[in-house]
């Protein structure tokens, strides 16, 4: 029973409220605490852009009002969500980070892109989850669904941002 309790504690993300001070973040998340503002889109046309390395606090929309390009993996009919665009000049492994629980999908063309990795952000960082996608050059749609909160901090980051070349 003790092992099970330890595993449950290890699997639970540390809330920033449980920390004495926020943890300093390494690349590509160093700008996580900056605060842009955005209102999530209800449809792909006109959805606001996410810019790599620039977090926003997004006001979300009731999920029933969103025209998702593909059905979200979870939570499509519950809570809040929204749509964002993300444009890439070159292929990249991109992480989408959120500060709260919600489902994240990336759609390229008419197809949902499979995630390649997911997990929690660093302890005491305020990043609850990061979902990684290998994305080609071009325009993508980021779908957020199933948030119980009407706002979420979201950031897209290139895994190789500011990494040494060599």
């Amino acid at each position: 029973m003790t092992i099970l309790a330890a595993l449950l504690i290890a699997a639970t993300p540390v809330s920033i409220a449980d920390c004495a001070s926020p943890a300093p973040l390494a690349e590509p998340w160093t700008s996580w605490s900056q605060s842009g503002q955005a209102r999530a889109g209800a449809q792909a046309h006109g959805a606001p852009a996410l810019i790599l390395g620039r977090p926003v606090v997004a006001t979300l929309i009731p999920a029933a009002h969103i025209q998702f390009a593909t059905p979200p993996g979870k939570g499509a009919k519950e809570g809040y969500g929204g749509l964002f665009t993300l444009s890439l000049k070159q292929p990249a492994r991109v992480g989408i980070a959120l500060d709260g629980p919600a489902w994240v999908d990336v759609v390229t063309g008419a197809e949902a892109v499979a995630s390649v990795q997911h997990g929690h952000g660093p302890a005491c960082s305020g990043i609850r989850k990061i979902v990684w996608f290998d994305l080609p050059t071009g325009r993508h749609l980021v779908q957020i669904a199933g948030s119980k909160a009407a706002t979420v901090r979201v950031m897209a980051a290139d895994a190789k941002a500011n990494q040494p070349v060599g």
Side-chain angles (χ1 to χ4, degrees), residues 58-128:
T59 301
L60 302 175
I61 301 164
H65 299 288
I66 302 168
Q67 294 176 4
F68 292 105
T70 62
K74 290 185 181 177
K77 296 179 180 163
E78 300 170 8
Y80 298 90
L83 306 175
F84 298 88
T85 62
L86 176 65
S87 295
L88 298 177
K89 293 180 181 178
Q90 58 190 15
R93 176 162 287 184
V94 174
I96 308 292
L98 302 176
D99 72 348
W103 189 263
V104 177
D105 290 301
V106 174
V107 179
T108 300
E111 298 292 323
V113 177
S115 64
V116 294
Q117 185 179 4
H118 53 86
H120 300 294
C124 297
S125 67
I127 299 174
R128 180 180 173 96

Side-chain angles (χ1 to χ4, degrees), residues 130-147:
I130 304 170
V131 183
W132 293 94
F133 301 89
D134 287 337
L135 300 175
T137 300
R139 186 174 182 265
H140 310 279
L141 189 66
V142 177
Q143 300 185 154
I144 297 174
S147 174

